[in-house]
Amino acid sequence: MLLSQNASAMRPLNVYLVAYISLVFGALQAFPEDFCIFRMTLRNFRVILSWELENHSIVPTHYTLWYTIMSRPEDMKVVKDCTEVTGSFCDLTDVWESMPETYVPRVVAFRGNTTLVSCTSRESIFPAIKMSLEPPNFEIVGFTDHIKVIVKFPPVIPKILRGEGLHVYLSLVIEEVSGGIIKKHKPKINAKTITGNFTYVIDNLIPNTNHCVSVYFEPSDPGKIIESPTKCTLLKPGQESESSESAKIGGLITMFLIVVVFISTIVILQHTGYICLRNEFPKVLNFYNFSAWVFAELPPLEAVALLEVIHVKRKKKVWDYNYDDESDSDNEAAPQKNAGGYTMHGLTGRPLCPASGSSATMEDCCDPDAEEADLPTPEAECESLMAPGSGPWQPECTSEADEGRGTRLEDHFSEEDGSSVEGSGDRIIFNVDLNSVLVRVLDDNSEVPPELSLPEDSTELQDPSEMETNLLVASGGGTQPSFPMECLWPEDSPSETSDTSESDADIRDGYITR
Amino acid sequence: MINKHFFEIMLVLLATSTVFSLELKMVLFQQRRVNRESVKLLNKLPTSSMQQCLLHRKDFLLPQKSVNPHQYQKEHTLAILHEILQQIFNLFRANTSLDVWEENHMEKFLTELHQQLEYLEVLMGLQAEQKSGTLDSENLRLQVKMYFRRIHDYLENQEYSSCAWTIVQVEINRCLFFVFRLTGKLSKQEMDP
């Protein structure tokens, strides 16, 4: 019963509602159409649609806003919060939420209960392009050399501004003006950072100067920029800048002192020899000499000759050298290089140079075979008396064989050492007691075995000139015995030997007896 | 032992990523230009046609999933972008009704669109090493193709009337907005992988 009564009451109500909507909708079609100028604005992050009748003669008292979209065939929708509003604007923040959508608004103007006009937009509203972006509220705080800009954003961003790609359609610009120079700062904003207050710092500013700041949104259509009012501030001068200058000066002085101390320390260490030691090595220690690398064998540090002094207390002694021609040839051909630990090369001072105080036979000196063990120097002979480096020089008294030997000797030297001791200035000095020694020059062609003859009285037999000539002068490394006596043998060699009859033979054999 | 080609490979990868990031910036920049030109083109429509064409509206069922940038990897995004722009280019180039728009505006729009396609093709070439024929990518491209097929069919049914082009232009503006969002997402993916 009750339900039936209610149902009966609802029926006329529904009828009245339908009739009203039909009348309104019909009015939209029936009433004169006019055009309104619609403006969509983002004001304080609120989507505001405002309108203005083109026909200013019509002065309505209130308005009702309708809209539809272009992407789907939908009917006009009334905005509930914008029904019979007295103002010519409407907050559509929660109504128009899609940026890519195209909206078609319509406003019905009333005067009292009379519908005056239904106006539409000449253009569809595409918010991404048509929405004007009013500048946000902001504050600035000036410091000495920087300004802090605080842009006020709402805690909740309108839905139409959410989503990616927002920065394309509206980009935030902070403009700083000082001394007629305009600088634009474009901090990137997105949906995450656009909530709450946004702080931006403009640094590297000149102290004690006036700076003005304005903040606005830059839409994709540059022609619709709405600039904000400029706010200016005078940066703090003086104390902080002076302190900074004094700090800079102090820093510079400190750095200067540090550099001075460092340099003085370096100089002191250098002078005391802790660093930067001299590297001027003596030539003998200069291993970086290229010629030394090329010629791998280093010159001998000293001329060393091992002498075996045979002190024989008999007049005559037949010294069996115990070598034959073959051994001679072999030895000559291949003398030992290192015998007794001595190097072969460089020591041209063949044991023609007896040591001081010791008796040595020239024969020993001359005979490489006998003295090979002790005198590992290359085979020595009259021809070997000449320096290896003296090369082609041949004593006049030598035979062809000797010359050959000399040649071989040279070759031997070159083979062995790879270096030739040149320089006639190098000599080996030995003190030779000529009273007790005999020197002998080897002669291959001589069939007579070499004999060692010792003078009984060396003083009597000694010829001073011979003594001088017999002396072997050695000096330093490199040996270049000077044996000018070689050429004197045939003529100048003394005949005052014990075997005078053999003097000639001796001479031929190369003996020098006293 | 380090492979003797290791450094060469690294150099190639670095160069590729550098070129790719530079190209992405160009793509983003160019997409903004494309969108702007598209809207300018739309604004050049006769004002009365908007109200008259309300009766010709149609829902073309834009594939939201295809244009949702949160779902895809980089290679999928590139494929979707290229497909959409290629379809738009073909749509306006083949069926240009010069009565509706001025020729200059249309040519400028197509020029910007073509430039964007070239940038995308370069990026896709740099991504050639990766598999481009995945099933997900092909499904998305198919949805985009079907979407534009519906647009083509609508134009044919409406006999390429001015209102039909108005409705299509509005739809393309909406589509380009999603394309731009995809491009922005692609740039973010490159900067923050």
Side-chain angles (χ1 to χ4, degrees), chain A residues 35 68-76 98-102 104-106 120-124 126 128-130 162-169 188 190 219-222, chain B residues 28 32 35-36 39-40 42-43 46-51 53-60 69-70 166-167 170-171 173-178 180-182 184-185 188 191:
Chain A
F35 291 105
T68 186
I69 59 177
M70 292 296 292
S71 62
R72 289 187 296 272
E74 293 182 353
D75 294 331
M76 282 284 184
S98 178
M99 182 72 81
E101 190 59 76
T102 301
V104 180
R106 179 188 286 269
T120 60
S121 172
R122 291 186 180 272
E123 300 173 349
S124 59
F126 189 58
I129 298 296
K130 290 294 184 179
R162 297 177 196 171
E164 297 163 6
L166 176 65
H167 65 280
V168 175
Y169 290 97
K188 290 187 177 180
N190 53 40
S220 58
D221 188 357
Chain B
L28 193 64
R32 187 187 301 184
N35 287 20
R36 190 179 302 153
V39 172
K40 285 182 180 179
L42 183 62
N43 290 335
T47 56
S48 60
S49 63
M50 189 62 66
Q51 297 294 328
C53 298
L54 289 176
L55 299 175
H56 300 270
R57 290 174 294 176
K58 180 178 173 58
D59 188 1
F60 297 102
H70 297 286
T166 301
I167 299 301
V170 170
E171 185 67 22
N173 276 344
R174 182 163 167 259
C175 181
L176 287 174
F177 177 84
F178 290 106
F180 191 81
R181 201 167 64 174
L182 268 178
K185 182 64 177 179
K188 281 191 176 181
M191 287 186 292

Side-chain angles (χ1 to χ4, degrees), chain B residues 55-99:
Chain B
L55 299 175
H56 300 270
R57 290 174 294 176
K58 180 178 173 58
D59 188 1
F60 297 102
L61 301 175
L62 175 68
Q64 295 286 344
K65 291 183 178 180
S66 299
V67 295
N68 187 356
H70 297 286
Q71 298 181 357
Y72 309 137
Q73 297 177 357
K74 190 188 305 180
E75 55 272 17
H76 296 167
T77 307
L78 279 176
I80 295 297
L81 278 173
H82 186 269
E83 185 63 37
I84 293 174
L85 294 179
Q86 185 67 55
Q87 291 289 341
I88 293 173
F89 184 82
N90 295 337
L91 178 66
F92 285 98
R93 187 184 62 174
N95 300 301
T96 302
S97 175
L98 300 180
D99 296 335

Side-chain angles (χ1 to χ4, degrees), chain A residues 148-409:
Chain A
K148 186 182 290 185
V149 181
I150 302 170
V151 183
K152 296 180 180 180
F153 284 90
V156 179
I157 301 300
K159 193 175 180 180
I160 197 171
L161 297 177
R162 297 177 196 171
E164 297 163 6
L166 176 65
H167 65 280
V168 175
Y169 290 97
L170 64 152
S171 57
L172 186 66
V173 177
I174 299 174
E175 200 172 87
E176 177 254 327
V177 182
S178 175
I181 300 173
I182 300 173
K183 291 183 181 179
K184 289 187 178 182
H185 305 265
K186 294 186 179 181
K188 290 187 177 180
I189 55 174
N190 53 40
K192 294 181 181 180
T193 61
I194 204 171
T195 57
N197 291 341
F198 176 76
T199 303
Y200 185 80
V201 177
I202 304 173
D203 52 5
N204 297 326
L205 300 178
I206 301 173
N208 199 22
T209 55
N210 188 39
H211 293 267
C212 298
V213 178
S214 65
V215 180
Y216 56 90
F217 286 111
E218 186 179 54
S220 58
D221 188 357
K224 294 190 175 182
I225 294 175
I226 302 175
E227 294 190 5
S228 68
T230 304
K231 295 185 179 181
C232 301
T233 182
L234 180 64
L235 298 182
K236 296 178 182 179
Q239 293 180 358
E240 291 186 16
S241 63
E242 289 178 358
S243 64
S244 65
E245 290 180 358
S246 63
K248 288 181 182 178
I249 293 172
L252 288 173
I253 293 172
T254 304
M255 288 297 299
F256 177 75
L257 290 174
I258 291 172
V259 170
V260 168
V261 169
F262 180 75
I263 293 173
S264 60
T265 304
I266 295 294
V267 171
I268 291 171
L269 290 176
Q270 185 178 1
H271 281 295
T272 54
Y274 279 91
I275 58 174
C276 300
L277 297 176
R278 295 181 61 187
N279 56 357
E280 297 175 358
F281 294 104
K283 290 184 179 179
V284 293
L285 296 179
N286 184 11
F287 297 105
Y288 294 97
N289 186 8
F290 180 72
S291 62
W293 287 102
V294 173
F295 304 99
E297 298 293 335
L298 297 175
L301 300 180
E302 57 178 320
V304 179
L306 182 62
L307 300 179
E308 180 180 352
V309 179
I310 302 175
H311 195 78
V312 181
K313 294 183 178 178
R314 55 185 175 87
K315 291 187 178 180
K316 292 186 178 181
K317 178 181 178 182
V318 178
W319 189 0
D320 184 8
Y321 288 94
N322 192 22
Y323 58 87
D324 53 3
D325 294 336
E326 296 178 356
S327 63
D328 289 340
S329 62
D330 292 340
N331 291 329
E332 289 174 358
Q336 298 179 2
K337 289 187 179 182
N338 297 314
Y342 291 94
T343 57
M344 296 289 287
H345 55 267
L347 183 63
T348 58
R350 286 304 156 72
L352 297 173
C353 39
S356 61
S358 63
S359 61
T361 58
M362 181 66 102
E363 184 179 3
D364 295 337
C365 295
C366 293
D367 188 358
D369 300 330
E371 301 302 328
E372 271 183 324
D374 298 328
L375 297 172
T377 56
E379 56 179 343
E381 48 187 0
C382 289
E383 292 74 11
S384 68
L385 294 179
M386 62 183 180
S390 62
W393 181 74
Q394 295 285 345
E396 297 178 358
C397 58
T398 58
S399 63
E400 295 179 357
D402 293 336
E403 292 176 357
R405 183 177 299 179
T407 304
R408 287 197 298 277
L409 184 62

